[in-house]
Amino acid sequence: MLRLKRTSLNALAIGGLMLASVPAPAQNWVSSGTPGSPVIPFDAIVDGYTSPTSPGGPKSPLYSCRGGSNEGFNTQVGMFIPGTTGCALGYGGLEHTVPDFEFLVTSWQAETGGLVPPNAVAGGFDTPAPGESEGPPLYFCRGKIGGGPLPRPPVTPPSLQLGKIRSGFGGCFVPYSGTEVLLINYEVLVALNPAMPLAAVPASNGFVPQDAIRAGTDVDGTPLYICSALFNNGRHPGKLHSSFGGCNISYGGVEHTISDYVVLRPDWLGIPNFDFPAGTDTDGTPLHVCRGFFSGGLYPGKTRQTWTTCNFGLGGKEQTAKDYEILSH
């Protein structure tokens, strides 16, 4: 079960970006594609933003990446800025941009017929049976609706809907068009070894944190985010978009919108366990994903267990931020 934590903060065209189709299941890192022509994976983790060009102006999202083996750097952790052609790394005091790299993504495993993999990520619990204090665990799942014949609902545009699954369901139940739809073919969010650190943070009334995990799309192409909400003495995984005004879950054949909910996002800690190694320095020391506050932006980069800074490449230099967070359980 994900713990609650307070927060401080297909090619589909989303926000002006061309995003790749759903990546291969059960991977923490996926290739950026042809070197020099990167495509942002659909499930790429948004874990930072650039400094606005003007006060109160827009902040571009930043993604964690890793690369550098072809350049003799081993596997360095860096950041990808949309519109550029490589992963920006800080190494040896300089910024290096490498064209062959990988994106950090969430991990999904394809299943069918109600199967739940043993490493599925629990996102809630079902309504308890009479005399029980808590129902069986519920897990995050997603499946495709549209783009082909389905018994219900009759819809032409394809979408990737988010929902819930547990033992005995027979498939992934997703809230859709006011109803509860059972999908026999689906994917389940899983934790690999090492498992990507995830946290559930409270929100309400349709608010979507900037680093919320994007995992689905609605019929109009808008992104859907992972959420869960309390309903009828259970906590049910569902889907979130700001226009919903809450977390949409399914229960008893009906789609329900719950105004208070929690949203899934990466788990950023100031005092970490260093349990998510993401790269290797040239001396063999593990590198970890961090993000540092710098000149009005929040920049993904790398750190080591003995460091007191988050290092990243920016403006031709290897910058260091002393105010930073680490991706860790």
Side-chain angles (χ1 to χ4, degrees):
M1 185 73 64
L2 290 171
R3 60 186 175 84
L4 286 181
K5 177 183 174 185
R6 294 187 183 274
T7 180
S8 56
L9 304 173
N10 86 29
L12 297 169
I14 298 177
L17 299 176
M18 287 303 294
L19 301 179
S21 59
V22 178
Q27 299 181 74
N28 281 331
W29 299 87
V30 299
S31 171
S32 62
T34 304
S37 300
V39 178
I40 303 171
F42 173 78
D43 288 319
I45 299 297
V46 177
D47 48 15
Y49 49 82
T50 59
S51 304
T53 56
S54 60
K59 301 176 180 180
S60 298
L62 299 171
Y63 301 84
S64 278
C65 56
R66 68 179 187 181
S69 59
N70 293 339
E71 291 76 17
F73 303 149
N74 272 0
T75 307
Q76 300 289 319
V77 180
M79 66 177 169
F80 178 77
I81 304 173
T84 62
T85 59
C87 179
L89 312 171
Y91 183 81
L94 300 175
E95 178 187 19
H96 303 267
T97 301
V98 298
D100 188 11
F101 65 96
E102 296 176 312
F103 283 99
L104 179 63
V105 299
T106 49
S107 305
W108 296 83
Q109 181 169 320
E111 293 289 359
T112 187
L115 292 177
V116 180
N119 58 342
V121 176
F125 51 90
D126 213 342
T127 300
E132 299 291 335
S133 60
E134 186 172 296
L138 293 169
Y139 303 92
F140 299 109
C141 61
R142 67 184 184 185
K144 179 182 176 183
I145 291 181
L150 282 176
R152 67 170 190 167
V155 44
T156 300
S159 64
L160 187 61
Q161 299 291 325
L162 310 177
K164 62 184 180 181
I165 191 171
R166 68 166 171 85
S167 177
F169 270 6
C172 177
F173 278 109
V174 301
Y176 187 83
S177 192
T179 66
E180 182 176 54
V181 180
L182 177 64
L183 302 178
I184 305 302
N185 299 305
Y186 51 88
E187 294 178 314
V188 180
L189 183 67
V190 296
L192 302 184
N193 186 16
M196 182 189 298
L198 300 173
V201 297
S204 61
N205 300 320
F207 176 73
V208 181
Q210 183 160 5
D211 55 1
I213 292 177
R214 180 183 57 227
T217 55
D218 223 339
V219 291
D220 59 358
T222 57
L224 299 174
Y225 301 89
I226 303 174
C227 61
S228 65
L230 294 171
F231 183 81
N232 197 23
N233 297 319
R235 177 170 290 280
H236 302 269
K239 63 183 181 181
L240 171 67
H241 185 266
S242 59
S243 65
F244 295 169
C247 178
N248 285 14
I249 66 165
S250 65
Y251 188 87
V254 179
E255 181 176 21
H256 304 267
T257 300
I258 312 300
S259 59
D260 295 311
Y261 49 89
V262 296
V263 187
L264 202 63
R265 72 167 178 87
D267 199 358
W268 298 99
L269 296 180
I271 304 175
N273 293 315
F274 293 98
D275 52 6
F276 186 64
T280 307
D281 218 338
T282 49
D283 62 359
T285 303
L287 295 172
H288 302 268
V289 179
C290 60
R291 61 181 189 180
F293 296 89
F294 184 81
S295 296
L298 183 58
Y299 294 93
K302 64 179 181 181
T303 192
R304 290 167 49 153
Q305 192 162 356
T306 57
W307 289 1
T308 58
T309 59
C310 178
N311 293 14
F312 48 90
L314 184 69
K317 300 179 180 179
E318 181 176 12
Q319 309 287 357
T320 59
K322 294 183 178 181
D323 183 9
Y324 65 100
E325 302 169 316
I326 301 177
L327 187 59
S328 177
H329 293 95

